[in-house]
Amino acid sequence: MAIHTGRGFSAINYPIGMNLGGDPSQALVHSNPDGKFTVALSAIDLGQGMKSVTRQIAAETLGVPLADVYVDTADSDTGPHDMGSFASRGTHRMGNAVIQASLEARSVMLEAAAEELEVDPGDLMTDGQGNIHVKGAPSRSITTMAAAQAAQFKQGRTIAGRGIFLIPLSEVDPDTGEMSPVTTFAHAAMLVEVEVDDETGEVAITDMQSAYEVGRALNPGMVEQQLRGGAWMGMSHAAWETTEPYYPQREHGPVDFNSYLMPGPGDLAPHHISVLERPAPDGPYGGKGPGEMCANPVLPAVVNAIYDAVGVRLYELPVTPEKVLRGLQANGGAKPRQNLARQAV
Amino acid sequence: MAKKPVSFTHNGVETAAFADPGQNLLEFLRRGVGDLTPKYGCGQGTCGACTVTVDGEPHLSCLTLAESVEGRSVGTVAGLANGATLDPLQEAFMDHFAAQCGYCTPGMLVAARVLLDANPNPSLDEVIEAISGNLCRCTGYEPIIEAIMAVANGSYGSAGRAAL
Amino acid sequence: MNDMSNMPASKGILGLQNPQIEFRKDLFADERDENLNEIGKPVRRQDIEGHVTGRSPFYDDHLFEGLLHMRYVRSPHHHARIRRIDTSAAQGMPGVVRIITSDDVPANMNTLLSLLDFGLDDEPVLSDKKVAYVGEPVVAVVALTEAQARAAVKAVQVDYEVLPHVLDPEEALKPGAPTVCDVYPGNAFVYHGKYNHQKLRYGDVETALKSADHVIETRHQMSPIEQAPMETCGAIAAPEQNGRYVCYSGTQGLFFSLGTAAKVLNMPSSRLHFIGGTVGGGFGGKVDSIHEPLAILGTVLTGKPCKSQWDREEEMQVGAPRGAERWYITDGVMNDGRIVARKFTGYFDAGAYTRLTSYAVIKCVGHLPGPYTIPNVSADVYCVYTNRTPATAMRGFGVTGVDFSIEAHMDQIADTLGMNPIDLRILNAYRDGDMKAHRRTAKNCAFIECCQVVAEKAGVTIKPESKAASSMKDGGGERGQLPAFTATDENGRVEGFEGWSYAKKGGGSATTGSVPSTTTPTPASLPQTPQPIPQPASPAPVTPAPQAPTPQVQSPSPAPTASSPKRRPPTRFSSISGFRRR
């Protein structure tokens, strides 16, 4: 009749983008008469923030304020082809396509400004605040609005750009499995603390300490969103959810949220996150996609922590009180290991 | 079977629409009245995405008969803002990244508003209890709780406003 | 003993007022430029005002005059032949506008991967010959209200002849098991037209295991789970103008769904207008395009807007889950913790139809053996058919299950050796320049650093050499070489199938398969902004792997499965992406 604490560790990497490649994304960027830009995509925002991250990427690349950019998605009549939002591909593929399209639009805008200022486009820079000026001579400047108006109504230029990003499809060897799966990987490590009640078998996850390497935190708020929400889903996967509690038998499959269990706001574990950034050489501003790998390390860390707490190894997910109790019974009781105790470093 | 007229107050405005016999309040609000803000998450009363207020009390509109709001007052997230000014909870949710896909957000905000109207200074446990009927699959709840606590702690000015 | 004195008195959110996130800008600092304008700022999301006002337009947030509702007659059996479908009682029921059977579907095959010319078509839109899982749709009813559609569904009579079923993937692979999916009589997806599994062969595992100090075997099982987004799957279709149809969808792949609808309905894609992009959670469950073709078909047949949606019960038990996986891992480990061999046998439970599982297996094999440099690795990974709800993608697709197994297995190794589990990870970690089991060079690694950061902040003491390790040091060299010898085999050989053209290897002997240099979009003029130039959108050139020696066949190939005439694949769609049609 005791509560035992335990700590478990796991570490992973995760492939970024659709396996084997062959998954293109396209973007179109164009300016309205006043130098405000629309990014036309057919990418899908599931909540992961596709519209927002592509907006930041476009604004950065165009050299204009965020407020002057709007991302419009998804309409198959106006948005060019995108493979879809899955496989942690969105930021990486669509981000790169948006960069390419934005670079083209930007170059036209600079040509227009150069013509108005009677300089070479190579002498110009944007300040990110809505102005284009000669490098080293900030007073020789023109607003992006004026440049756009001049381009479209006087010079006859379209301030527009197209982009596509495609990693060519890789082959797969039937006999060795040789392949080029993806070009970049994200990484994570996780240490989870649990409390196990050896009388009821209940496991409470009481703390999570993680490190996630995401290439570049393009928007730190959205990165944190993903990591917190994803780790929650990992926790849920480890110890709450299943559509088939008696797999491979199909009986008693849940049909509502009363029986399909997920941790609620009262079940949360404090989650202390460290974000590392090692930019992907081919990522947009080095960005990888944290959206999937955030959940994965929690699952093994939880079962490892249970072993550390009571000496019971669980080999089947999800963790349930019944499985813990059966394990305790088979072991003749709790046999704490507690091998990962916190020490002064 | 004939449709039934239902007269009620919708976010402060007197209105009327026709309900199919046995239609639930969620479908009635969405397709009968044209208020698309409450969402269908389960139709079983277990997820809270459909949360609205009826005479100020939180109700699961998927399990409420449309006809039962005859003569009563219904509030949805569409009524949360004060004209063009967003409710402090809405501002707090935006600042704290308390929404990702946004599907649970209307119901979540209604639950939070009901809490703060009744209890402007809730404890952490009281906030947790108030939103325990609203499932979120994206955020892991922590940013939502932070946003509500920030409003309760006065970071957004006056927290109490009996909007719904 | 763990020091838990910092835990709060009540369980809850520690650090609520002080969210604990740190950005370790000190690590890899020289590879990053921090001088950007909009990138790196926690700016407010573009869509969040829509979310907090309820104005974000999900697919169902569009009003239509005369919207019709579709519900489905579904199999109550795991496995059954359909003898007779009688819709007569349902036809006359109140509100019923149209009843749709398989005969009404112009091309009654919905196999998403057929758009990529990957595998064979195996799944009907509406079944007419047999059903292979509880919940499989047989008939669609379109009615004025949802309640009327539900009532009419109950009145449809289907005579079934119940067949034996199989629910365990290893049982399904045994000779004599009921055939779940007629396209694959052995209940396994056929890879490259050759094998009933995807192989990974790198070095010589069996020999290495013999010389290991310890051999550690585990078996792990992950049961299926639901993506469970708060918004269930669905689509609304309506007639537009000019003979076109608009479809509002919660899909995760707009053009995947559009392409699927075009093929199923035998309609040029130019007549379809898909609108989406604002989805109430997906997590992989909205890649399958089940509702769009049916909703559009309903509209085509009735001339009215049609909505097809799963209720929550359907979302849970009919909607495709993350498939179950079973993993057998055998490691050869030395006393000092080095893993010298790792062998996998993995079973992905695809359920009754392929959907995306065949592809998950390839993704998985490309991920093995995890972020570790192990000189001998082999894997046999199966896509197995059972009589349950077909599986599909979910967050971590192809990787979550095996990573669970690997990392629990690693913990068991650490325990067996009496070694700190973090030291074990760092010792075996992959580093820049190492050769990976899929024969590509590792780069841009950060696994070691993640382990170090967690060890430090969790107060776990690790060895000095673990603290001093770096992803950027001590990789490559010998570790970057391909193995001198790789043991291969023809186990699991299957006859009578052709390989699909997606990612098909040309020629007979193993080639390096190096990726040709990509057409990179080179920026015409780089922006001269206060901040340095953004990274051009060019994939890093892949280091071509050195020529692999001709693999020697180690064991005689077992007798192929009972020979049958060369199989003619079922109706094949040409791919929208222009791959060769077979």
Side-chain angles (χ1 to χ4, degrees), chain A residues 148-173:
Chain A
Q149 288 165 342
Q152 292 169 77
F153 292 99
K154 196 164 104 184
Q155 303 169 12
R157 295 181 199 274
T158 61
I159 300 190
R162 303 156 302 161
I164 184 168
F165 186 79
L166 170 64
I167 295 193
L169 184 66
S170 163
E171 296 171 327
V172 183
D173 190 297

Side-chain angles (χ1 to χ4, degrees), chain C residues 140-317:
Chain C
V141 173
V142 189
L144 297 177
T145 70
E146 185 190 322
Q148 289 168 331
R150 285 181 186 271
V153 157
K154 289 192 184 137
V156 173
Q157 310 259 27
V158 183
D159 288 348
Y160 294 102
E161 174 199 328
V162 176
L163 298 171
H165 66 271
V166 60
L167 291 175
D168 182 279
E170 288 182 86
E171 291 300 314
L173 289 176
K174 290 185 179 154
T179 294
V180 173
C181 181
D182 290 335
V183 172
Y184 303 102
N187 288 335
F189 182 86
V190 177
Y191 283 93
H192 314 282
K194 279 179 87 170
Y195 300 117
N196 69 351
H197 59 277
Q198 175 63 50
K199 295 178 193 285
L200 180 68
R201 297 287 185 270
Y202 183 83
D204 185 350
V205 163
E206 295 304 327
T207 301
L209 284 174
K210 292 191 180 96
S211 62
D213 294 329
H214 304 267
V215 174
I216 294 163
E217 298 184 10
T218 59
R219 173 192 185 278
H220 285 89
Q221 175 76 57
M222 179 181 78
S223 73
I225 71 165
E226 240 299 296
Q227 300 84 2
M230 293 322 299
E231 177 201 41
T232 63
C233 295
I236 298 180
E240 222 177 24
Q241 297 99 17
N242 199 29
R244 301 179 87 218
Y245 298 94
V246 65
C247 183
Y248 294 87
S249 164
T251 177
Q252 291 183 227
L254 199 77
F255 281 91
F256 254 133
S257 296
L258 194 158
T260 298
K263 289 184 196 279
V264 167
L265 302 174
N266 212 10
M267 185 184 289
S269 58
S270 50
R271 290 181 63 194
L272 293 173
H273 180 194
F274 270 55
I275 297 177
T278 299
V279 176
F283 311 112
K286 293 176 177 170
V287 179
D288 292 346
S289 303
I290 304 295
H291 296 280
E292 294 82 2
L294 285 161
I296 298 170
L297 181 59
T299 293
V300 167
L301 294 173
T302 64
K304 293 277 187 211
C306 278
K307 175 169 151 178
S308 174
Q309 180 192 49
W310 282 329
D311 62 24
R312 183 53 67 177
E313 178 171 345
E314 286 168 315
E315 183 75 38
M316 280 194 188
Q317 293 293 339

Side-chain angles (χ1 to χ4, degrees), chain C residues 34 50 133 182 263 278-279 384 490 504 532 535 554 572:
Chain C
E34 296 292 337
Y133 67 97
D182 290 335
K263 289 184 196 279
T278 299
V279 176
V384 185
E490 295 232 323
K504 182 181 172 63
Q535 290 302 311
Q554 213 32 12
R572 301 294 300 283

